[in-house]
């Protein structure tokens, strides 16, 4: 294989995606799925466990909808929406629209949460939740939801304040011009 072929097959965007997005996203999915397996085996059919009394407890729940059980029972809709969202994110990454580590981390967290809940919907028809705030009336959530929320906030910060301020380095300009 020639060096020219290698450069084309591993563009700077693909390299960044493989080295930054995939490990963070995979790590989030693994932690999410392990906590859900643990919740199903240790919390299901048991009384909630107080972690910090008056603040948060572990309480097994099955959610067939989105946040706050919105659109409950719309499994096919959520699966289709997830596929579309992941395709759009893949396109955005492939085209190089994310331009710095902050943006890549934000996208990776969003992808992680999306895939974590997607796996549940595919396998079980519902999402396993286990973290229940007790100091306010709020939804029960899981690690994937935390990843989505944090990633969404970081992505909003990136798009509002950092995206346009990023100037590609000379190396980035050189790679994109030669590709």
């Amino acid at each position: 294989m020639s060096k020219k072929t290698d450069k084309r097959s591993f563009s700077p965007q693909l390299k960044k995606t493989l080295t930054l997005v995939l490990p963070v996203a995979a790590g989030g999915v693994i932690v999410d799925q392990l906590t859900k397996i643990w919740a199903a085996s240790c919390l299901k059919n048991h009384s909630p466990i107080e972690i910090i009394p008056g603040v948060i407890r572990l309480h097994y729940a099955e959610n067939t909808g989105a946040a706050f059980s919105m659109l409950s029972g719309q499994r096919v809709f959520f699966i289709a929406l997830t596929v579309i969202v992941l395709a759009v994110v893949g396109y955005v990454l492939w085209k190089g629209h994310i331009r710095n580590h902050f943006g890549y981390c934000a996208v990776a967290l969003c992808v992680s949460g999306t895939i974590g809940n997607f796996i549940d919907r595919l396998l079980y028809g519902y999402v396993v939740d286990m973290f229940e705030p007790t100091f306010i009336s709020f939804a029960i959530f899981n690690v994937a939801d935390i990843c989505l929320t944090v990633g969404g906030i970081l992505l909003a910060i990136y798009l509002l304040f950092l995206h346009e301020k990023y100037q590609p380095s000379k190396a980035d300009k050189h790679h994109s011009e030669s590709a």
Side-chain angles (χ1 to χ4, degrees), residues 8-19:
R8 285 194 180 142
S9 63
F10 289 106
S11 68
Q13 291 82 15
L14 181 58
K15 285 180 185 175
K16 288 180 182 176
T17 300
L18 291 173
T19 59

Side-chain angles (χ1 to χ4, degrees), residues 95-147:
K95 292 302 269 181
H97 294 298
I98 303 300
R99 301 182 183 146
N100 65 30
H101 288 81
F102 190 92
Y104 282 108
C105 184
V107 168
L109 287 170
C110 290
V111 167
S112 173
T114 302
I115 292 173
N117 285 339
F118 180 69
I119 290 169
D120 282 17
R121 285 192 178 96
L122 280 176
L123 294 178
Y124 315 118
Y126 56 84
V127 173
V128 174
D129 290 326
M130 77 283 302
F131 299 110
E132 181 181 22
T134 55
F135 65 98
I136 57 171
S137 179
F138 193 71
I140 301 174
F141 56 94
N142 58 43
V143 172
D145 298 334
I146 294 168
C147 290

Side-chain angles (χ1 to χ4, degrees), residues 44-174:
K44 190 174 184 175
N45 302 321
H46 291 88
S47 298
I49 300 170
E50 295 290 327
I51 297 175
I52 302 172
V55 178
I56 192 164
R57 66 183 179 180
L58 296 172
H59 181 189
Y60 181 85
E62 296 173 356
N63 184 356
T64 61
F68 304 102
S69 297
M70 290 186 302
L71 299 172
S72 187
Q74 300 298 315
R75 178 181 182 205
V76 174
F77 169 76
F78 287 119
I79 290 171
L81 180 63
T82 301
V83 170
I84 292 166
V85 167
L86 290 174
V88 169
V89 169
Y91 178 79
V92 166
L93 289 170
W94 179 65
K95 292 302 269 181
H97 294 298
I98 303 300
R99 301 182 183 146
N100 65 30
H101 288 81
F102 190 92
Y104 282 108
C105 184
V107 168
L109 287 170
C110 290
V111 167
S112 173
T114 302
I115 292 173
N117 285 339
F118 180 69
I119 290 169
D120 282 17
R121 285 192 178 96
L122 280 176
L123 294 178
Y124 315 118
Y126 56 84
V127 173
V128 174
D129 290 326
M130 77 283 302
F131 299 110
E132 181 181 22
T134 55
F135 65 98
I136 57 171
S137 179
F138 193 71
I140 301 174
F141 56 94
N142 58 43
V143 172
D145 298 334
I146 294 168
C147 290
L148 276 167
T149 301
V150 172
I153 291 168
L154 294 178
L155 188 58
I157 291 168
Y158 172 77
L159 292 172
L160 290 171
F161 303 111
L162 302 173
H163 180 69
E164 292 302 320
K165 294 181 191 233
Y166 173 77
Q167 295 298 319
S169 68
K170 290 179 185 177
D172 287 343
K173 284 183 184 177
H174 176 71

